[in-house]
Amino acid sequence: MLTDSTSPHLPNDSPLTMSPGFPNSDPPPDFGSHSDQAADKSSNLNAPSQQQGELFETAPPPWELAAQDDVALASIVFSEAPHGPYDYRIPDSMRDDLVAGMRVKVPLGRRKKPIIGWCTETKQGKAAHRSMRDIAEILDTEPLCDAALVRLVLWMSHYYQAPAGQVFDTLIPSSVRANAGTREKTYLLPSPMAKDDELVGSLPTKQQTALRFLIAAGRPMTSQQLSVVAECTQGPITQLRKKGFVQENVRREMNTPTSTRWQVDDGEVEVAHTLTDDQAQALSQVTGALDSGKGRTLLLHGVTGSGKTEVYIQAIEHVVKFGRGAIVLVPEISLTPQTRGRFERRFQSVAVLHSQMTPAERHFQWQRIRSGEVQVVVGPRSAVFAPMPHLGLIVIDEEHDGSFKQDTQPRYHARRVAYARAMSLNIPLVLGTATPSMESWHATATGRAELIKMPSRVGNRPMPDVQLVDLRVRDDRTAGAISRPLHTAVQQTLNENGQVILLLNRRGFATTIQCPACGYVVACPDCDMPLTHHRDGGKAVCHYCDYTIATPPWCPACRFDGIRYGGLGTQKLEVEVKARFPDAVVARMDSDTMRRPGSHQKVLSAFRAGKVNLLLGTQMIAKGLDFPNVLLVGVINADGALHFPDFRAAERTFQLVTQVAGRTGRGDRGGRVIVQTYSPEHPAIQAASRHDYELFAKGEMINRMKFNYPPLGSVARIIIRGVIEEVTEAIADSLLSRLEVARDTLGAEVRILGPAPPPITKLRGKYRFHLLLQSVDANHLGETIRRATKDFKIADKDDVQYVIDIDPMDML
DNA sequence: AGCACGCCGACT
DNA sequence: GTCGGCGTGCTC
């Protein structure tokens, strides 16, 4: 039986452990200490047996009492296996220098070379381990993470079940660890011997003059500099060093060339805009939260074009006034020169972090931020780790965006991490979006977040009109992908010299089974997921639970026998569009054509300049573009996103349609949107067509409730991949039984699904299976996985790997 | 991940 | 009898 979901040995007021957590998680059972014993305890949900365990663990056997001297110890973790933590003795000579957050070199096992590790904690040891070894070397003079960030690392390591060493490596850019763009410089100082006039007087003239110049300078100089001012060669200076008249002082410094690059080039300064009533109201709520000195989450729900950015900026100005800094997270795609310029013109000192930065620049910006001179950091998800010393506010723009979840280990969500960081520092977290994630929306309903509404556009521009085209209506259908009504609208817009955006959400691998006559989709009775058609064997499979049936030859709802399996590519659409509108200049934007860096910007500036009339592409054109001459947006097939085998499919569809609709109606000429669909009555599509988020959220929450999908419950996913299909599946099966055992011994309430083939069955030559775990309590879920995988070893010969994804954002 | 230990087969 | 195959286990 489960007694309590909060761990008894945790301080309950600790902000990172505030219960209930957000979005949808409970406190980490332990993040303060993570020695072996602590890990044992934390994997036990049952409080009474924990106390029992302590009886045995805290009393050392008598023969170890001799080793009980109080020694200085450091807990060290590694980014490579074995990840630790291991305890090392701190030699007396290092005792005052080692701080948590520094890197060290330590001996490990029978290795010849010492290994680099991270210090998570220094402590006074009582029960010394039987084979305690010494720290060999300290690599940093300053910790790379302050105490609060070390705590964040340990929390992330626990929550995402990733080795702490790996989390450190994620937090601290490799360029910082490698000291990119720096060089060791040797400075010269007069030594005590140089004070002895008699000795100095006995030196040869050149050496004497050089030394007198160095003394007169009154500051350390490089031998280069000294040779210039003293008008001599290196010779005399080398002699002075040899004879001991000068001391050497080695310092690591930034190379000069990069150190000016960050500066704003245009020097333009923008003043604060006059706020609309909505904006003023929103701002006062945010500043109120700032002044309260509490960790609070504010969801800023503002329609596209309502001016959220101006609210962020003025809130940050408020923070800056008090000498504190802010972090602004933006989706990868919207880190454009425009976004950057906007912040740079409003603040004296901005650090923009982006993916094209060189290692030296990245390192330089990191140092600037840590020095405290930066007021605002703008960047993608990793900017949540910016080492801002007096952080006062974190803003996440477009908080619903998928790019905030990292898809490699540690698979963290920047919103979840930002929440943990903000709450631990007692500062506000502002989440801004036109289409809140269900997680954030639910948080406002349960009181974990406060809702701020901005329902109208700046200048009171109307929202664009959204027209649904029912593809089931025979008269509107054509042989191609563009219906008659859409064709007419495109032609008309082009005739009026307007620009057109056509959105195709191609996710080719998902072959959902949909009836073209009535729109019916074949779904799994247990998971509510659309089944996916597999050509070989004519089977239809659920990617969550492996439920399988024979693909029905005709529609189960209306008995129509021309059932089809979705799928249309941008290339094919481009051909059709060019044939239909031969006079239009068409550009295509998708991951295939946008592979080269800069091509993105190139196409967009051509579109902005009006050289392109019709822009065709995937999701990437749905976000953030602001072109006043776009009078028509067409969504080729809204169902592609809608009937995707993912419980977030409806949410994605709503977001997609709403965001793409926001690309039009930004000028004086208004704008319209046409959405083609087989399911015009679907709540997500209906709500999007009316620009009614709350209508959507209400309906969607009921759907999520049926199966306890997030945000009502938690989900985790374990992906198992290997070269041999049978072996991979066998290991997935053994992991399943371990999970079941762990769940039952813990008495945890967790539903385990699979192993099932994920939508992407084979990736880079490896077969994949996945296990899905669901629970209303994130702790139960986490503990079950922790226990099941604790000593789970896969033999090398099997060549199978597994990955744990906590709060997965997709099921591919 | 290394690195050594150990337990079975083919060689001088 | 030894050299070496790689399966197994440990690293504070």
Side-chain angles (χ1 to χ4, degrees), chain A residues 87 133:
Chain A
D87 284 346
R133 299 174 82 175

Short mmCIF file of all heavy atoms in Angstrom, two decimals, chain A residues 87 133, chain C residues 11-12:
data_model
loop_
_atom_site.label_atom_id
_atom_site.label_comp_id
_atom_site.label_asym_id
_atom_site.label_seq_id
_atom_site.Cartn_x
_atom_site.Cartn_y
_atom_site.Cartn_z
N ASP A 87 32.16 9.05 -3.67
CA ASP A 87 32.77 9.97 -2.71
C ASP A 87 34.28 9.90 -2.79
O ASP A 87 34.85 8.80 -2.87
CB ASP A 87 32.32 9.61 -1.29
CG ASP A 87 30.90 10.06 -1.02
OD1 ASP A 87 30.39 10.87 -1.82
OD2 ASP A 87 30.31 9.59 -0.03
N ARG A 133 39.34 7.25 -2.19
CA ARG A 133 40.53 7.74 -2.92
C ARG A 133 40.50 9.27 -2.93
O ARG A 133 39.50 9.89 -2.61
CB ARG A 133 40.54 7.18 -4.34
CG ARG A 133 40.61 5.67 -4.32
CD ARG A 133 40.48 5.08 -5.69
NE ARG A 133 41.75 5.09 -6.43
CZ ARG A 133 41.88 4.53 -7.64
NH1 ARG A 133 40.85 3.95 -8.22
NH2 ARG A 133 43.03 4.59 -8.26
P DT C 11 33.42 -1.75 -6.50
OP1 DT C 11 33.98 -2.04 -5.16
OP2 DT C 11 31.99 -1.48 -6.66
"O5'" DT C 11 34.21 -0.51 -7.11
"C5'" DT C 11 35.59 -0.63 -7.44
"C4'" DT C 11 35.91 0.38 -8.51
"O4'" DT C 11 35.20 0.05 -9.73
"C3'" DT C 11 35.49 1.81 -8.16
"O3'" DT C 11 36.57 2.68 -8.46
"C2'" DT C 11 34.31 2.09 -9.07
"C1'" DT C 11 34.66 1.23 -10.27
N1 DT C 11 33.51 0.88 -11.14
C2 DT C 11 33.65 0.98 -12.51
O2 DT C 11 34.67 1.36 -13.04
N3 DT C 11 32.56 0.61 -13.23
C4 DT C 11 31.35 0.16 -12.73
O4 DT C 11 30.43 -0.15 -13.48
C5 DT C 11 31.26 0.08 -11.29
C7 DT C 11 29.99 -0.38 -10.65
C6 DT C 11 32.33 0.44 -10.56
P DC C 12 37.18 3.62 -7.33
OP1 DC C 12 36.94 4.95 -7.88
OP2 DC C 12 38.52 3.18 -6.88
"O5'" DC C 12 36.20 3.33 -6.14
"C5'" DC C 12 36.43 3.89 -4.91
"C4'" DC C 12 36.25 5.38 -4.92
"O4'" DC C 12 34.89 5.70 -5.35
"C3'" DC C 12 36.37 5.99 -3.54
"O3'" DC C 12 36.71 7.34 -3.63
"C2'" DC C 12 34.99 5.79 -2.97
"C1'" DC C 12 34.09 5.93 -4.20
N1 DC C 12 32.97 4.93 -4.24
C2 DC C 12 31.75 5.27 -3.63
O2 DC C 12 31.64 6.36 -3.06
N3 DC C 12 30.74 4.38 -3.66
C4 DC C 12 30.87 3.22 -4.30
N4 DC C 12 29.85 2.38 -4.32
C5 DC C 12 32.11 2.87 -4.93
C6 DC C 12 33.12 3.74 -4.88
#
